[in-house]
């Protein structure tokens, strides 16, 4: 018995080993089969979804579609951003209505938190209440998209200081018809009032006085901001923002696509919120409508790792004077409170304290600068300086503006176009791809989608047509005359000094301060100091 037991033991061991090996082989085979079938199944599912039209449409295609296309077939339905939802389509019969306005709230375009009829009557109970002030000479083609985009973001009130084209009756009358819009005309009486205002008699702004072009605009903006503060306080506003009509707020980081939501989350002890600016990076020389045709932007220094910024500085600058073509110090929104004053076009300040400010890590101001080739000549036509390196320093604060003015004043049309393509247009796909991968350049489609949706809904055309259809021609001309005769009434709200001694005291207290002008981003000369820090 003993020897038999020892003789059979190896056979039992071999049989057990063979069975285990067979099981392992079977498990590996099944695993390999599963790994093979899984990606194939996913690929088939993706193909089916794409074939059925479930993919995300390219928002850029929106800019080339006709505004008369059927809303129910709009590719914009597939683009949903925070704070937006898609409203179910109306029946084909309802699209035959003669009025675009009647279908706005029921269209298949994206809807937004404050989206109602074209007037965008924001609920007065909503908090916080936000206003924007601007100084502009632009036309309706730029002002209306800019304004209604910010209405979508929750801005309820606009203080528009207009001159030039924007002050003509055909444009200003349309602007005055929009709820929440206050139009202030640049009249002789207004200028006389502003010459007696508090900041005109303070030294922090005086270094910009009596200089042409950009310096003159900078002073006008500051004086208008001072006046807007008073109007904002009287209107019960919580926040005030100074923004040009070629700039759009991009409220990234908010829980919905809303400036109101973004500011609602700001701690109550914060007085000022800084939005770093991104700069438009055009890819063609024939842009007509930057808001719906430009989707690529160069990110701000504050939103980039410092080693990436300085490491890619040469490629990002492309032999231009600075990293950005124009300014790089962003814009700010201030809490409306006592003793608030402007500190140049980019910042706010307070007479009684140093404002507690924060800088946003995701949200930005999108600056569409030199986005159209015609921007070269329009800047030239607004300025009477001589096209010499010395004289342009009197007129422009930033290097690129100076170079652009000289080119626009001395070169032929072909030479200007060649210069524009070399210094402004991003045509090199390899360089673009590299900078996008590094995070220097980024794609932002949200404003494009919002403005295109508003345009396709007939919002802008409804605003214009409502003015002409609601008034007879005679009444319309009469109202224009009345408007022209009462343009300076708003200037009564300007703050003024109570007496000369107060002005002298202010000069003494503020003698060491200066307004913050538009500033270029850090250059390579700053790289060593950043590294040492």
């Amino acid at each position: 018995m003993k020897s038999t037991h020892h003789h059979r033991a190896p056979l039992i061991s071999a049989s057990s080993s063979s069975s285990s090996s067979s099981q392992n082989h079977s498990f590996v085979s099944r695993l390999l089969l599963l790994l093979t079938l899984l990606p194939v199944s996913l690929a088939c599912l993706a193909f089916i979804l794409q074939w059925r039209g479930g993919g995300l449409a390219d928002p850029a295609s929106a800019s080339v579609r006709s505004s008369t296309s059927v809303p129910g077939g709009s590719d914009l339905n597939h683009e949903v951003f925070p704070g937006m939802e898609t409203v179910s389509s109306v029946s084909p019969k309802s699209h035959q209505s003669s009025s675009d306005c009647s279908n706005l709230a029921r269209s298949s375009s994206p809807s937004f938190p404050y989206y109602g009829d074209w007037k965008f009557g924001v609920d007065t109970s909503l908090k916080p209440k936000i206003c924007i002030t601007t100084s502009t000479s632009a036309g309706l083609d730029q002002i209306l998209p800019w304004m209604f985009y910010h209405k979508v973001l929750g801005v309820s009130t606009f203080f528009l200081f207009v001159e030039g084209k924007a002050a003509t009756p055909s444009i200003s009358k349309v602007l005055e018809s929009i709820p929440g819009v206050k139009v202030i005309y640049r009249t002789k009486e207004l200028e006389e009032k502003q010459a007696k205002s508090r900041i005109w008699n303070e030294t922090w702004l005086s270094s910009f006085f009596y200089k042409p072009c950009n310096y003159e605009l900078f002073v006008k903006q500051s004086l208008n901001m001072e006046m807007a503060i008073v109007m904002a306080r009287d209107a019960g506003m919580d926040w005030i923002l100074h923004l040009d009509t070629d700039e759009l707020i991009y409220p990234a980081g908010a829980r919905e696509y809303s400036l109101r939501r973004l500011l609602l989350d700001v701690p109550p002890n914060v007085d000022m919120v800084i939005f770093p600016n991104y700069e438009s990076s055009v890819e063609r020389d024939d842009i007509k409508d930057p808001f719906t045709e430009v989707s690529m932007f160069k990110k701000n220094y504050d939103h980039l790792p410092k080693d990436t910024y300085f490491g890619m500085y040469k490629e990002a600058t492309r032999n231009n004077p600075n990293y950005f073509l124009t300014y790089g110090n962003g814009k700010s929104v201030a809490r409306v409170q006592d003793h608030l004053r402007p500190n140049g076009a980019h910042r706010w300040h307070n007479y009684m304290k140093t404002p507690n400010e924060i800088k946003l890590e995701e949200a930005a101001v999108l600056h569409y600068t030199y986005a159209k080739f015609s921007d070269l000549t329009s800047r030239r036509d607004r300025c009477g300086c001589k096209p010499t390196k010395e004289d342009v320093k009197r007129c422009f604060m930033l290097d690129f503006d100076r170079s652009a003015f000289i080119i626009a004043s001395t070169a032929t049309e072909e030479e200007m176009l060649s210069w524009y393509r070399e210094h402004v247009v991003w045509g090199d796909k390899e360089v673009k791809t590299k900078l996008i991968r590094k995070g220097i350049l980024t794609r932002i489609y949200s404003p494009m989608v919002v403005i295109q949706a508003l345009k396709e809904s007939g919002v802008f055309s409804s605003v214009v047509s409502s003015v002409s259809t609601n008034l007879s021609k005679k009444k319309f001309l009469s109202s224009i005359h009345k408007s022209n005769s009462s343009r300076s009434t708003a200037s009564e709200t300007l703050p003024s000094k109570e007496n000369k001694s107060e002005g002298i005291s202010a000069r003494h207290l503020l003698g060491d301060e200066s307004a913050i002008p538009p500033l270029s981003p850090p250059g390579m000369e700053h790289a060593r100091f950043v590294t040492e820090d």
Side-chain angles (χ1 to χ4, degrees):
M1 290 293 293
K2 217 178 212 188
S3 65
T4 302
H5 174 75
H6 286 292
H7 178 70
R8 294 180 63 183
L11 294 177
I12 295 172
S13 176
S15 175
S16 174
S17 175
S18 175
S19 174
S20 176
S21 176
S22 175
Q23 289 176 358
N24 289 338
H25 180 73
S26 175
F27 174 75
V28 171
S29 298
R30 291 176 182 175
L31 182 61
L32 290 174
L33 179 63
L34 178 63
L35 293 175
T36 303
L37 292 176
L38 183 60
V40 174
S41 302
L42 292 175
C44 292
L45 178 61
F47 175 78
I48 293 172
L49 290 175
Q50 186 177 13
W51 177 71
R52 292 183 61 187
L56 184 66
D58 180 8
S61 64
S63 61
V64 296
R65 286 199 308 275
S66 169
S67 61
T68 59
S69 61
V70 178
S74 173
D75 290 339
L76 292 173
N77 291 333
H78 302 302
E79 187 70 83
V80 181
F81 295 94
M84 299 165 56
E85 61 183 4
T86 302
V87 182
S88 58
S89 303
V90 295
S91 64
K93 186 175 180 180
S94 66
H95 285 299
Q96 298 174 3
S97 170
S98 59
S99 172
D100 289 335
C101 296
S102 63
N103 289 329
L104 282 181
R106 295 173 289 140
S107 72
S108 59
S109 299
S111 64
F112 311 98
Y114 317 105
Y115 191 67
D117 58 12
W118 69 264
K119 294 185 178 181
F120 281 75
V122 178
D123 185 352
T124 55
S125 65
L126 289 176
K127 289 286 188 176
K129 294 181 179 179
I130 309 166
C131 66
I132 290 180
T133 179
T134 191
S135 304
T136 183
S137 60
L140 292 177
D141 58 332
Q142 181 170 323
I143 297 176
L144 290 182
W146 170 85
M147 181 186 298
F148 280 92
Y149 170 82
H150 289 105
K151 278 180 172 283
V152 166
L153 267 58
V155 177
S156 61
T157 304
F158 296 82
F159 301 121
L160 306 182
F161 292 82
V162 298
E163 57 183 305
K165 186 177 181 180
T168 58
S170 60
I171 293 177
S172 61
K173 198 62 187 176
V174 173
L175 298 176
E176 288 176 341
S177 72
I178 302 172
V181 175
K182 178 77 172 178
V183 179
I184 304 97
Y185 300 86
R186 187 146 204 90
T187 63
K188 184 178 180 179
E189 184 179 353
L190 175 63
E191 291 178 348
E192 290 174 352
K193 288 283 184 181
Q194 289 185 335
K196 299 175 183 178
S197 72
R198 182 170 182 173
I199 67 172
W200 177 266
N201 292 275
E202 293 173 348
T203 54
W204 62 269
L205 187 62
S206 61
S207 61
F208 298 89
F209 289 170
Y210 310 116
K211 296 180 182 179
C213 302
N214 278 14
Y215 289 91
E216 181 183 5
L217 174 61
F218 186 78
V219 172
K220 285 181 181 178
Q221 289 174 328
S222 299
L223 292 168
N224 293 342
M225 289 166 69
E226 181 187 33
M227 181 175 172
I229 291 172
V230 178
M231 294 190 288
R233 186 169 60 242
D234 292 344
M237 295 291 109
D238 298 305
W239 293 93
I240 184 170
L241 168 66
H242 174 257
L243 209 63
D244 296 329
T245 53
D246 62 350
E247 298 170 330
L248 300 177
I249 290 291
Y250 175 56
R255 285 176 282 174
E256 63 186 31
Y257 200 76
S258 162
L259 177 60
R260 189 190 69 83
R261 169 54 60 184
L262 191 68
L263 295 178
L264 193 63
D265 295 335
V266 172
N269 65 324
V270 172
D271 303 307
M272 186 167 66
V273 179
I274 298 173
F275 289 77
N277 62 295
Y278 290 7
E279 191 171 80
S280 61
S281 301
V282 299
E283 300 169 82
R284 308 194 322 268
D285 59 23
D286 60 348
I287 298 292
K288 301 299 181 186
D289 184 6
F291 290 158
T292 59
E293 295 181 62
V294 177
S295 64
M296 191 168 75
F297 297 86
K298 188 185 290 186
K299 296 179 73 172
N300 193 282
Y301 167 83
D302 290 318
H303 284 184
L304 289 169
K306 302 307 174 265
D307 56 343
T308 300
Y309 177 86
F310 290 111
M312 302 299 297
Y313 188 85
K314 183 177 180 181
E315 291 88 340
T317 304
R318 299 190 308 163
N319 296 320
N320 283 320
N322 295 293
Y323 174 79
F324 277 160
L325 302 182
T326 55
Y327 76 89
N329 53 330
K331 289 291 182 74
S332 62
V333 57
R335 199 183 294 275
V336 178
Q337 54 187 286
D338 292 339
H339 312 296
L340 181 67
R341 72 163 173 87
N343 194 18
H346 296 259
R347 293 291 187 271
W348 306 86
H349 200 59
N350 194 293
Y351 282 109
M352 303 304 293
K353 65 177 181 179
T354 300
N356 181 23
E357 64 181 47
I358 61 172
K359 186 174 291 184
L360 297 177
E361 297 180 354
E362 295 181 68
V365 169
L366 304 181
H367 186 201
Y368 296 77
T369 185
Y370 290 97
K372 297 185 292 184
F373 174 62
S374 60
D375 288 343
L376 281 179
T377 54
S378 65
R379 280 171 168 80
R380 176 199 65 193
D381 297 340
R382 292 198 304 265
C383 186
C385 288
K386 297 177 182 178
T388 62
K389 290 185 178 180
E390 288 303 317
D391 202 51
V392 293
K393 292 179 181 179
R394 292 191 309 112
C395 304
F396 301 98
M397 303 181 197
L398 300 173
D399 293 331
F400 187 86
D401 287 331
R402 296 168 180 171
S403 300
F405 179 80
I406 292 175
I407 287 294
S409 302
T410 60
T412 64
E413 187 81 8
E414 291 183 359
E415 290 171 338
M416 278 195 294
L417 185 58
S418 176
W419 185 90
Y420 184 78
R421 288 170 176 167
E422 179 183 352
H423 293 271
V424 181
V425 179
W426 290 79
D428 191 323
K429 292 183 178 179
E430 186 176 338
V431 173
K432 281 193 297 186
T433 301
K434 181 179 180 181
L435 293 179
I436 288 175
R437 288 174 178 172
K438 290 289 186 178
I440 299 287
L441 296 176
T442 185
R443 293 284 182 184
I444 299 176
Y445 294 109
S446 313
M448 177 187 292
V449 173
V450 171
I451 292 176
Q452 188 65 30
L454 292 170
K455 182 182 292 186
E456 291 184 354
S457 298
V459 171
F460 308 143
S461 59
S462 296
V463 174
V464 177
S465 63
S466 67
V467 174
S468 58
T469 55
N470 292 338
L471 296 172
S472 64
K473 184 176 181 180
K474 184 176 180 180
K475 190 175 180 181
F476 183 57
L477 293 175
S478 175
S479 66
I480 291 174
H481 176 73
K482 184 179 179 182
S483 173
N484 289 336
S485 64
S486 61
R487 286 181 172 184
S488 61
T489 56
S491 64
E492 298 298 326
T493 61
L494 255 177
S496 60
K497 304 186 305 302
E498 294 181 2
N499 52 62
K500 276 190 174 183
S501 62
E502 182 181 342
I504 295 171
S505 175
R507 282 196 189 97
H508 177 72
L509 291 172
L510 302 173
D512 294 332
E513 296 184 14
S514 180
I516 298 178
L519 301 173
S520 297
M524 287 303 295
E525 66 274 13
H526 297 88
R528 179 171 60 87
F529 298 103
V530 172
T531 303
E532 289 176 355
D533 290 344

